[in-house]
Amino acid sequence: MRVEGPRYTERFGAVRINEVQKVLELDSGRARELTPYENVAVQKIEEGAIKDFEEKMVIVIPTKDEKLKLLEGVISGIPHECLILVVSNSQRKRIDRFKMEQDTLRQYCHFTRRQAYLVHQKDPVLAKALAGAGYNHIIDQDGLVRDGKAEGMIAAIFIAMMMKKDYIGFIDADNFSPGAVWEYVKCYAAGFYMSRSPYAMIRIIWRYKPKFGEGVYFRKWGRVSEVTNRCMNSLISIRTGFETDIVKTSNAGEHAMSLKLAGLLSYASRFAVEPQELISIFEDFGGVMPMACKTAAKHGIEIFQIETRNPHLHEDRGTEHLKDMLLPGLATIYHSRLCEKETKEKVLAELLQQNAINPGEEPPMPQISPPPKNIDIQKFTKVMGRHMESCSALEGK
Ligand code: GDD
Ligand code: MG
């Protein structure tokens, strides 16, 4: 594929945030020697190079009671070399939707001869493995992993570490377009290819997120993203003294990280997880506070924002849900140790305007789980390793 090279980079301590890079060509043809200067402004990334990264990547699909046809479509878009890990929080009681997901996945893996794992978020063995390894932070009073997409993501990070993968990418299960899913993974691989640091994060920005009414309107920005990006950029601008609009992906649900980086970050509950990842990077490596990890600081943390060609089409959950996303996301900015008076005022003004808080109120403190790096992965593997066989969708593997 061909992607714009990182032409402008904002530096914040040891963090390098690259300006949005557009995909120019989904398929750039056969591998061949490049002409002089061909790779200066635009990077041609060969199929083989992309595959090398896909092989080391696990793609995690968090799902909760999604339509099976959508889930199957998403799976079908994931390049063959990637390992698939579906973390499901679907209902098991009245109708066993998890069982239906299992059946769908088994059939799919049987015919495509590929490996996929399906783990239920409420699987008692998963909770036992986490607790045994010393990570109780996402476990509820009932002794099981809490509800929430973020909680599923954190559990997936541990499983990816156990499976000795190098990269982890997330893709929502409610995507209508397998071609877009395919492109997200290509962008993840392209980002890791371009990164000069092993501590890298790739965040997807959609060219369009169409709205269907009478006809289709190819909208680019959602309300939540616009507001969250504005506040996130204010936090950086005031700290560096230079106004910036570099961050365009505060809420990017579709994103990937090297596991080295994933191990260092702290994670907010539910839908605040994506902005909190950035906050965590800025707090720990922005240079305002002591560096959280010397080796990572030496390499630098590199953030890519890649704009896809495919429009993003997913389930519309209505306007109330948007408010549920705005408040916790902005709360992570508001309660950050880096957030000063001016940005706090900006956050409060936005929340008041959207009727997400009442006058005089503050956003609630986010629930934050600490970095996974200190977990005893051997202990986790001891409990979860054998159990994974029963989570495999491909028989005989
Ligand atoms: N495992 C698991 N556990 N998955 C869940 C849970 C849960 O408790 N709750 C939701 N999911 C799954 C959904 O099935 C879907 O595949 C994905 O997580 C995202 O949930 P949506 O409800 O579709 O969220 P959204 O579309 O409003 O928001 C998405 O995009 C935002 C950016 O625009 C999410 O990815 C957000 O995190 C993201 O900020
Ligand atoms: Mg969605």
Side-chain angles (χ1 to χ4, degrees):
M1 77 191 300
R2 242 183 262 260
V3 184
E4 287 177 344
R7 273 187 292 186
Y8 179 75
T9 307
E10 193 88 63
R11 288 172 176 80
F12 185 28
V15 187
R16 297 192 290 270
I17 316 167
N18 292 300
E19 180 55 280
V20 170
Q21 293 163 248
K22 290 183 170 44
V23 171
L24 297 181
E25 239 186 348
L26 289 169
D27 181 336
S28 56
R30 282 189 199 281
R32 56 166 175 76
E33 212 155 294
L34 299 177
T35 54
Y37 309 115
E38 193 174 334
N39 251 10
V40 176
V42 174
Q43 294 268 325
K44 182 181 184 217
I45 307 155
E46 307 294 3
E47 274 292 314
I50 288 181
K51 293 261 169 280
D52 290 344
F53 285 95
E54 288 173 351
E55 253 164 25
K56 299 181 206 151
M57 202 184 309
V58 53
I59 295 294
V60 176
I61 305 168
T63 187
K64 186 176 183 193
D65 300 325
E66 299 295 351
K67 298 182 182 100
L68 285 175
K69 292 247 189 307
L70 288 189
L71 175 66
E72 203 209 352
V74 167
I75 304 269
S76 74
I78 296 173
H80 191 92
E81 310 301 341
C82 303
L83 181 66
I84 297 173
L85 172 61
V86 181
V87 181
S88 168
N89 195 16
S90 301
Q91 60 161 307
R92 306 210 61 175
K93 293 218 172 89
R94 221 164 29 84
I95 305 168
D96 193 348
R97 291 200 63 87
F98 181 67
K99 173 88 179 32
M100 290 154 82
E101 289 164 1
Q102 241 168 3
D103 288 346
T104 309
L105 216 63
R106 281 197 181 137
Q107 189 182 36
Y108 179 82
C109 288
H110 177 75
F111 288 110
T112 52
R113 304 318 298 157
R114 67 178 302 175
Q115 184 56 293
Y117 291 95
L118 172 64
V119 177
H120 201 279
Q121 196 159 325
K122 303 286 178 185
D123 188 331
V125 182
L126 175 63
K128 192 173 154 217
L130 286 165
Y135 201 87
N136 287 304
H137 313 284
I138 54 169
I139 297 176
D140 228 341
Q141 277 116 352
D142 61 3
L144 301 175
V145 172
R146 272 197 315 264
D147 287 330
K149 174 186 147 166
E151 284 67 8
M153 287 168 57
I154 298 171
I157 292 173
F158 290 117
I159 297 175
M161 285 175 166
M162 175 177 82
M163 294 187 149
K164 299 195 165 51
K165 289 286 167 181
D166 292 335
Y167 304 101
I168 185 163
F170 302 96
I171 296 184
D172 288 350
D174 63 337
N175 198 307
F176 290 119
S177 160
V181 170
W182 180 87
E183 189 184 7
Y184 298 150
V185 179
K186 298 289 159 190
C187 291
Y188 294 163
F192 292 126
Y193 172 87
M194 288 185 277
S195 180
R196 287 171 297 151
S197 166
Y199 298 84
M201 176 179 273
I202 326 297
R203 301 172 77 94
I204 299 292
I205 170 166
W206 308 307
R207 198 176 178 95
Y208 300 112
K209 191 173 172 183
K211 290 275 160 218
F212 294 89
E214 285 170 35
V216 188
Y217 177 64
F218 284 87
R219 191 169 167 169
K220 184 164 177 71
W221 294 105
R223 254 285 189 50
V224 175
S225 334
E226 230 174 339
V227 174
T228 317
N229 288 338
R230 198 155 50 230
C231 295
M232 189 70 81
N233 283 316
S234 159
L235 180 135
I236 303 173
S237 305
I238 290 167
R239 286 290 168 188
T240 58
F242 289 86
E243 203 161 83
T244 182
D245 63 350
I246 190 88
V247 177
K248 307 236 169 37
T249 53
S250 296
N251 293 297
E254 266 68 40
H255 66 287
M257 295 179 260
S258 57
L259 272 162
K260 278 202 165 104
L261 177 60
L264 297 178
L265 303 187
S266 54
Y267 297 89
S269 197
R270 300 181 175 232
F271 292 121
V273 61
E274 289 93 4
Q276 172 60 31
E277 285 168 359
L278 290 179
I279 291 288
S280 173
I281 293 177
F282 299 155
E283 285 181 351
D284 292 343
F285 299 99
V288 180
M289 278 171 247
M291 296 286 173
C293 165
K294 283 208 180 82
T295 322
K298 199 170 120 254
H299 287 285
I301 312 291
E302 191 142 25
I303 301 173
F304 291 88
Q305 310 182 89
I306 303 187
E307 187 186 277
T308 51
R309 283 277 154 182
N310 281 279
H312 185 75
L313 302 166
H314 73 140
E315 290 278 26
D316 191 351
R317 300 198 204 276
T319 42
E320 268 309 301
H321 176 68
L322 289 184
K323 225 183 275 170
D324 291 347
M325 288 189 55
L326 183 72
L327 181 62
L330 288 189
T332 65
I333 301 176
Y334 186 88
H335 291 288
S336 162
R337 289 174 286 158
L338 293 178
C339 192
E340 30 43 62
K341 196 162 160 274
E342 216 176 310
T343 306
K344 274 188 196 280
E345 279 167 7
K346 204 168 262 178
V347 170
L348 291 178
E350 297 283 5
L351 288 172
L352 272 173
Q353 209 202 339
Q354 308 287 336
N355 288 324
I357 53 167
N358 294 315
E361 270 180 11
E362 284 193 329
M365 197 66 134
Q367 189 170 19
I368 294 187
S369 304
K373 68 167 193 290
N374 296 328
I375 193 182
D376 186 336
I377 202 73
Q378 248 101 39
K379 282 192 180 150
F380 180 82
T381 308
K382 220 167 164 188
V383 181
M384 201 60 193
R386 286 288 280 302
H387 185 59
M388 284 311 279
E389 285 167 30
S390 65
C391 304
S392 161
L394 183 62
E395 322 97 52
K397 281 250 175 165

Short mmCIF file of all heavy atoms in Angstrom, two decimals, residues 3-36:
data_model
loop_
_atom_site.label_atom_id
_atom_site.label_comp_id
_atom_site.label_asym_id
_atom_site.label_seq_id
_atom_site.Cartn_x
_atom_site.Cartn_y
_atom_site.Cartn_z
N VAL A 3 1.13 5.10 1.68
CA VAL A 3 0.62 5.99 2.73
C VAL A 3 1.51 7.22 2.78
O VAL A 3 2.73 7.10 2.57
CB VAL A 3 0.68 5.29 4.12
CG1 VAL A 3 0.07 6.15 5.21
CG2 VAL A 3 0.00 3.94 4.09
N GLU A 4 0.92 8.37 3.05
CA GLU A 4 1.75 9.57 3.22
C GLU A 4 2.76 9.34 4.33
O GLU A 4 2.41 8.76 5.37
CB GLU A 4 0.88 10.76 3.63
CG GLU A 4 0.01 11.31 2.53
CD GLU A 4 -0.88 12.46 3.02
OE1 GLU A 4 -1.05 12.62 4.24
OE2 GLU A 4 -1.41 13.17 2.16
N GLY A 5 3.98 9.79 4.15
CA GLY A 5 4.97 9.67 5.21
C GLY A 5 4.66 10.66 6.33
O GLY A 5 3.86 11.58 6.13
N PRO A 6 5.28 10.47 7.50
CA PRO A 6 5.03 11.41 8.59
C PRO A 6 5.72 12.75 8.30
O PRO A 6 6.91 12.90 8.52
CB PRO A 6 5.63 10.71 9.82
CG PRO A 6 6.49 9.62 9.30
CD PRO A 6 6.18 9.39 7.87
N ARG A 7 4.93 13.69 7.80
CA ARG A 7 5.54 14.93 7.32
C ARG A 7 5.66 15.99 8.41
O ARG A 7 6.44 16.90 8.32
CB ARG A 7 4.73 15.49 6.15
CG ARG A 7 5.22 14.89 4.85
CD ARG A 7 4.57 15.52 3.69
NE ARG A 7 3.15 15.17 3.69
CZ ARG A 7 2.33 15.49 2.71
NH1 ARG A 7 2.75 16.17 1.69
NH2 ARG A 7 1.07 15.12 2.75
N TYR A 8 4.79 15.89 9.42
CA TYR A 8 4.90 16.84 10.50
C TYR A 8 4.70 16.11 11.83
O TYR A 8 3.78 15.31 11.97
CB TYR A 8 3.85 17.96 10.37
CG TYR A 8 3.97 18.90 11.53
CD1 TYR A 8 5.03 19.82 11.60
CD2 TYR A 8 3.08 18.82 12.60
CE1 TYR A 8 5.18 20.63 12.70
CE2 TYR A 8 3.24 19.64 13.71
CZ TYR A 8 4.29 20.55 13.74
OH TYR A 8 4.46 21.34 14.85
N THR A 9 5.57 16.37 12.77
CA THR A 9 5.52 15.68 14.05
C THR A 9 5.58 16.69 15.19
O THR A 9 6.46 17.55 15.21
CB THR A 9 6.71 14.70 14.18
OG1 THR A 9 6.71 13.85 13.03
CG2 THR A 9 6.61 13.85 15.43
N GLU A 10 4.63 16.56 16.10
CA GLU A 10 4.63 17.43 17.29
C GLU A 10 5.35 16.66 18.39
O GLU A 10 5.08 15.47 18.58
CB GLU A 10 3.17 17.68 17.68
CG GLU A 10 2.94 18.78 18.68
CD GLU A 10 2.79 20.16 18.03
OE1 GLU A 10 1.83 20.37 17.25
OE2 GLU A 10 3.65 21.01 18.31
N ARG A 11 6.26 17.33 19.09
CA ARG A 11 6.99 16.64 20.16
C ARG A 11 6.57 17.15 21.51
O ARG A 11 6.49 18.35 21.72
CB ARG A 11 8.49 16.82 19.95
CG ARG A 11 8.96 16.02 18.76
CD ARG A 11 10.40 16.29 18.38
NE ARG A 11 10.77 15.39 17.29
CZ ARG A 11 10.46 15.60 16.00
NH1 ARG A 11 9.77 16.67 15.66
NH2 ARG A 11 10.82 14.73 15.09
N PHE A 12 6.30 16.21 22.40
CA PHE A 12 5.87 16.56 23.75
C PHE A 12 6.68 15.66 24.68
O PHE A 12 6.34 14.49 24.87
CB PHE A 12 4.35 16.28 23.83
CG PHE A 12 3.70 16.68 25.12
CD1 PHE A 12 4.18 17.73 25.90
CD2 PHE A 12 2.55 16.03 25.56
CE1 PHE A 12 3.55 18.09 27.08
CE2 PHE A 12 1.91 16.39 26.73
CZ PHE A 12 2.42 17.42 27.50
N GLY A 13 7.80 16.16 25.18
CA GLY A 13 8.72 15.32 25.95
C GLY A 13 9.24 14.20 25.06
O GLY A 13 9.75 14.43 23.97
N ALA A 14 9.05 12.96 25.51
CA ALA A 14 9.54 11.82 24.72
C ALA A 14 8.46 11.31 23.75
O ALA A 14 8.63 10.28 23.12
CB ALA A 14 9.96 10.70 25.65
N VAL A 15 7.34 12.04 23.66
CA VAL A 15 6.24 11.58 22.81
C VAL A 15 6.30 12.26 21.45
O VAL A 15 6.48 13.48 21.39
CB VAL A 15 4.87 11.89 23.47
CG1 VAL A 15 3.73 11.26 22.67
CG2 VAL A 15 4.83 11.44 24.91
N ARG A 16 6.18 11.47 20.40
CA ARG A 16 6.12 12.05 19.05
C ARG A 16 4.73 11.79 18.49
O ARG A 16 4.32 10.63 18.34
CB ARG A 16 7.17 11.41 18.14
CG ARG A 16 8.60 11.65 18.61
CD ARG A 16 9.60 11.27 17.55
NE ARG A 16 9.68 9.84 17.34
CZ ARG A 16 10.51 9.03 18.01
NH1 ARG A 16 11.33 9.53 18.92
NH2 ARG A 16 10.52 7.74 17.77
N ILE A 17 3.99 12.88 18.24
CA ILE A 17 2.65 12.71 17.70
C ILE A 17 2.69 13.13 16.24
O ILE A 17 2.95 14.30 15.93
CB ILE A 17 1.61 13.60 18.43
CG1 ILE A 17 1.83 13.55 19.95
CG2 ILE A 17 0.18 13.19 18.08
CD1 ILE A 17 1.06 14.61 20.71
N ASN A 18 2.45 12.18 15.35
CA ASN A 18 2.51 12.49 13.92
C ASN A 18 1.17 13.04 13.43
O ASN A 18 0.11 12.57 13.86
CB ASN A 18 2.87 11.23 13.13
CG ASN A 18 4.30 10.81 13.41
OD1 ASN A 18 5.24 11.56 13.17
ND2 ASN A 18 4.46 9.62 13.98
N GLU A 19 1.25 13.99 12.55
CA GLU A 19 0.06 14.58 11.91
C GLU A 19 -0.66 13.47 11.12
O GLU A 19 -0.04 12.45 10.79
CB GLU A 19 0.57 15.69 10.98
CG GLU A 19 -0.43 16.48 10.19
CD GLU A 19 -1.51 17.12 11.02
OE1 GLU A 19 -2.47 16.41 11.39
OE2 GLU A 19 -1.44 18.34 11.28
N VAL A 20 -1.93 13.68 10.84
CA VAL A 20 -2.70 12.66 10.12
C VAL A 20 -2.01 12.29 8.80
O VAL A 20 -1.56 13.17 8.06
CB VAL A 20 -4.12 13.18 9.82
CG1 VAL A 20 -4.85 12.25 8.85
CG2 VAL A 20 -4.91 13.32 11.11
N GLN A 21 -1.90 10.99 8.54
CA GLN A 21 -1.32 10.50 7.28
C GLN A 21 -2.41 9.78 6.50
O GLN A 21 -3.08 8.90 7.04
CB GLN A 21 -0.17 9.54 7.60
CG GLN A 21 1.00 10.24 8.26
CD GLN A 21 1.93 9.26 8.94
OE1 GLN A 21 2.04 9.23 10.16
NE2 GLN A 21 2.62 8.44 8.17
N LYS A 22 -2.57 10.15 5.24
CA LYS A 22 -3.64 9.58 4.44
C LYS A 22 -3.17 8.34 3.68
O LYS A 22 -2.02 8.30 3.23
CB LYS A 22 -4.12 10.59 3.40
CG LYS A 22 -4.86 11.78 3.96
CD LYS A 22 -5.30 12.63 2.77
CE LYS A 22 -6.25 13.74 3.05
NZ LYS A 22 -6.14 14.63 4.12
N VAL A 23 -4.09 7.41 3.50
CA VAL A 23 -3.80 6.27 2.63
C VAL A 23 -3.98 6.74 1.20
O VAL A 23 -5.02 7.33 0.86
CB VAL A 23 -4.78 5.10 2.92
CG1 VAL A 23 -4.63 4.01 1.88
CG2 VAL A 23 -4.55 4.55 4.31
N LEU A 24 -2.98 6.52 0.34
CA LEU A 24 -3.09 6.95 -1.05
C LEU A 24 -3.50 5.81 -1.96
O LEU A 24 -4.27 5.99 -2.89
CB LEU A 24 -1.77 7.54 -1.52
CG LEU A 24 -1.30 8.79 -0.78
CD1 LEU A 24 0.00 9.28 -1.35
CD2 LEU A 24 -2.34 9.88 -0.85
N GLU A 25 -2.94 4.64 -1.68
CA GLU A 25 -3.22 3.49 -2.53
C GLU A 25 -3.41 2.28 -1.62
O GLU A 25 -2.54 2.00 -0.79
CB GLU A 25 -2.01 3.22 -3.44
CG GLU A 25 -2.29 3.28 -4.89
CD GLU A 25 -1.08 2.87 -5.73
OE1 GLU A 25 0.04 2.74 -5.21
OE2 GLU A 25 -1.27 2.67 -6.93
N LEU A 26 -4.49 1.58 -1.79
CA LEU A 26 -4.69 0.38 -0.95
C LEU A 26 -3.77 -0.74 -1.43
O LEU A 26 -3.30 -1.55 -0.66
CB LEU A 26 -6.15 -0.07 -1.02
CG LEU A 26 -7.14 0.86 -0.31
CD1 LEU A 26 -8.57 0.48 -0.64
CD2 LEU A 26 -6.93 0.81 1.19
N ASP A 27 -3.54 -0.77 -2.74
CA ASP A 27 -2.68 -1.80 -3.31
C ASP A 27 -1.66 -1.09 -4.20
O ASP A 27 -2.03 -0.44 -5.18
CB ASP A 27 -3.55 -2.76 -4.14
CG ASP A 27 -2.74 -3.88 -4.77
OD1 ASP A 27 -1.51 -3.70 -4.97
OD2 ASP A 27 -3.33 -4.92 -5.08
N SER A 28 -0.39 -1.20 -3.85
CA SER A 28 0.62 -0.44 -4.59
C SER A 28 1.40 -1.33 -5.57
O SER A 28 2.48 -0.97 -6.02
CB SER A 28 1.57 0.25 -3.62
OG SER A 28 2.13 -0.71 -2.75
N GLY A 29 0.87 -2.50 -5.86
CA GLY A 29 1.48 -3.33 -6.90
C GLY A 29 2.59 -4.24 -6.38
O GLY A 29 2.80 -4.35 -5.18
N ARG A 30 3.25 -4.87 -7.32
CA ARG A 30 4.32 -5.82 -6.98
C ARG A 30 5.49 -5.13 -6.33
O ARG A 30 5.73 -3.95 -6.56
CB ARG A 30 4.85 -6.44 -8.27
CG ARG A 30 4.00 -7.52 -8.85
CD ARG A 30 4.77 -8.17 -9.98
NE ARG A 30 3.87 -8.89 -10.86
CZ ARG A 30 3.39 -10.09 -10.59
NH1 ARG A 30 3.71 -10.69 -9.46
NH2 ARG A 30 2.58 -10.68 -11.45
N ALA A 31 6.24 -5.93 -5.56
CA ALA A 31 7.47 -5.41 -4.97
C ALA A 31 8.48 -5.18 -6.10
O ALA A 31 8.61 -6.01 -6.99
CB ALA A 31 8.03 -6.43 -3.99
N ARG A 32 9.10 -4.05 -6.11
CA ARG A 32 10.14 -3.78 -7.11
C ARG A 32 11.03 -2.68 -6.55
O ARG A 32 10.69 -2.04 -5.54
CB ARG A 32 9.52 -3.34 -8.44
CG ARG A 32 8.61 -2.15 -8.30
CD ARG A 32 8.25 -1.48 -9.60
NE ARG A 32 7.28 -0.44 -9.36
CZ ARG A 32 7.54 0.75 -8.84
NH1 ARG A 32 8.79 1.07 -8.51
NH2 ARG A 32 6.60 1.64 -8.63
N GLU A 33 12.12 -2.47 -7.20
CA GLU A 33 13.03 -1.45 -6.70
C GLU A 33 12.42 -0.06 -6.89
O GLU A 33 11.81 0.21 -7.94
CB GLU A 33 14.34 -1.54 -7.46
CG GLU A 33 15.47 -1.13 -6.55
CD GLU A 33 16.78 -1.75 -6.98
OE1 GLU A 33 16.92 -3.00 -6.90
OE2 GLU A 33 17.62 -0.98 -7.41
N LEU A 34 12.56 0.77 -5.90
CA LEU A 34 11.94 2.09 -6.00
C LEU A 34 12.82 3.05 -6.79
O LEU A 34 14.05 2.96 -6.74
CB LEU A 34 11.71 2.67 -4.60
CG LEU A 34 10.79 1.86 -3.69
CD1 LEU A 34 10.70 2.50 -2.31
CD2 LEU A 34 9.40 1.76 -4.30
N THR A 35 12.19 3.95 -7.50
CA THR A 35 12.95 4.98 -8.20
C THR A 35 13.48 5.98 -7.16
O THR A 35 12.90 6.08 -6.07
CB THR A 35 12.06 5.72 -9.21
OG1 THR A 35 10.92 6.20 -8.50
CG2 THR A 35 11.60 4.81 -10.33
N PRO A 36 14.54 6.72 -7.48
CA PRO A 36 15.06 7.68 -6.50
C PRO A 36 13.95 8.64 -6.05
O PRO A 36 13.13 9.06 -6.86
CB PRO A 36 16.15 8.42 -7.27
CG PRO A 36 16.48 7.56 -8.44
CD PRO A 36 15.29 6.72 -8.73
#
